Amino acid sequence: MSGQNLKSFLNRLKIYSTLWIIFHLILILGIIGFIVFRPTALMWNYQPIDGVIIQSDMESCGGAGDGYYPVVKFSYSIGDRTYLSGDLRRDFARMCYSKQEAAELLKQYPVGTPVHSWFDPDKLRIAVIDRSFGAIQWGVFLVAGGFMVILLLAALFVRSNRIKLQTSKH
């Protein structure tokens, strides 16, 4: 293999390996996105229903920190059956708050208060009060978006180097 052919081969190898890495990073980010955002996307098919708050408390998140998780349970009726739900929001993971933040959140849901909620028509036992994106989903969204920008810049960099190599040959 001549020096020019070897150089051309190595440049193509560099480009293809970069594209292989970018493809697999996008694939991995897509899988992570599916796992994290699927519960939120499914909630948009939930049906509205009125319920009543039956518990509004906080529990420790455990561990060395002083984080607290708000526990809001409510009941709702569909037909002649009454259901109980303990989901404020169906997040990818439980979000811990400071004691003060958890207390502020719980002030919105005093026991005995009527609440507008949403239930899953396919699984009547699943219901939530809040269908919005949680803090964890927003964090993952921002990190994944940052990775996508970096990947786009890397792809543009590889492309510009490829164009420079082609023009320098002529």
Side-chain angles (χ1 to χ4, degrees):
M1 196 178 261
S2 71
Q4 187 65 20
N5 287 341
L6 178 61
K7 195 174 193 181
S8 174
F9 172 75
L10 291 175
N11 284 333
R12 277 186 275 137
L13 182 63
K14 189 188 310 181
I15 290 168
Y16 291 133
S17 63
T18 303
L19 292 175
W20 186 87
I21 290 169
I22 290 171
F23 171 77
H24 283 90
L25 282 173
I26 291 171
L27 182 66
I28 291 168
L29 288 174
I31 291 169
I32 291 170
F34 178 79
I35 291 169
V36 172
F37 293 106
R38 185 172 187 268
T40 303
L42 289 175
M43 283 191 291
W44 289 103
N45 293 322
Y46 287 12
Q47 301 297 312
I49 194 160
D50 291 322
V52 177
I53 303 292
I54 59 171
Q55 181 184 354
S56 182
D57 204 359
M58 66 178 91
E59 62 184 42
S60 175
C61 291
D66 60 340
Y68 291 88
Y69 181 75
V71 177
V72 178
K73 292 186 179 181
F74 61 100
S75 64
Y76 57 100
S77 297
I78 301 173
D80 60 347
R81 295 201 57 185
T82 299
Y83 297 92
L84 171 71
S85 177
D87 290 333
L88 186 59
R89 180 188 303 124
R90 291 186 62 87
D91 282 334
F92 172 68
R94 288 173 40 153
M95 183 73 180
C96 292
Y97 299 90
S98 71
K99 192 170 189 172
Q100 181 181 358
E101 289 172 327
E104 284 295 317
L105 181 66
L106 291 172
K107 282 183 184 177
Q108 299 174 35
Y109 306 106
V111 174
T113 305
V115 65
H116 190 71
S117 58
W118 307 86
F119 75 96
D120 185 344
D122 297 326
K123 299 174 185 166
L124 301 179
R125 293 182 178 270
I126 297 176
V128 297
I129 295 173
D130 183 3
R131 294 189 306 170
S132 67
F133 269 22
I136 293 171
Q137 279 93 342
W138 279 114
V140 170
F141 180 73
L142 292 174
V143 169
F147 275 124
M148 295 304 284
V149 168
I150 290 169
L151 290 176
L152 176 64
L153 292 174
L156 291 173
F157 178 75
V158 168
R159 186 175 180 342
S160 70
N161 280 343
R162 182 177 173 195
I163 291 170
K164 285 179 188 175
L165 287 172
Q166 288 176 349
T167 56
S168 67
K169 288 180 185 178
H170 294 76

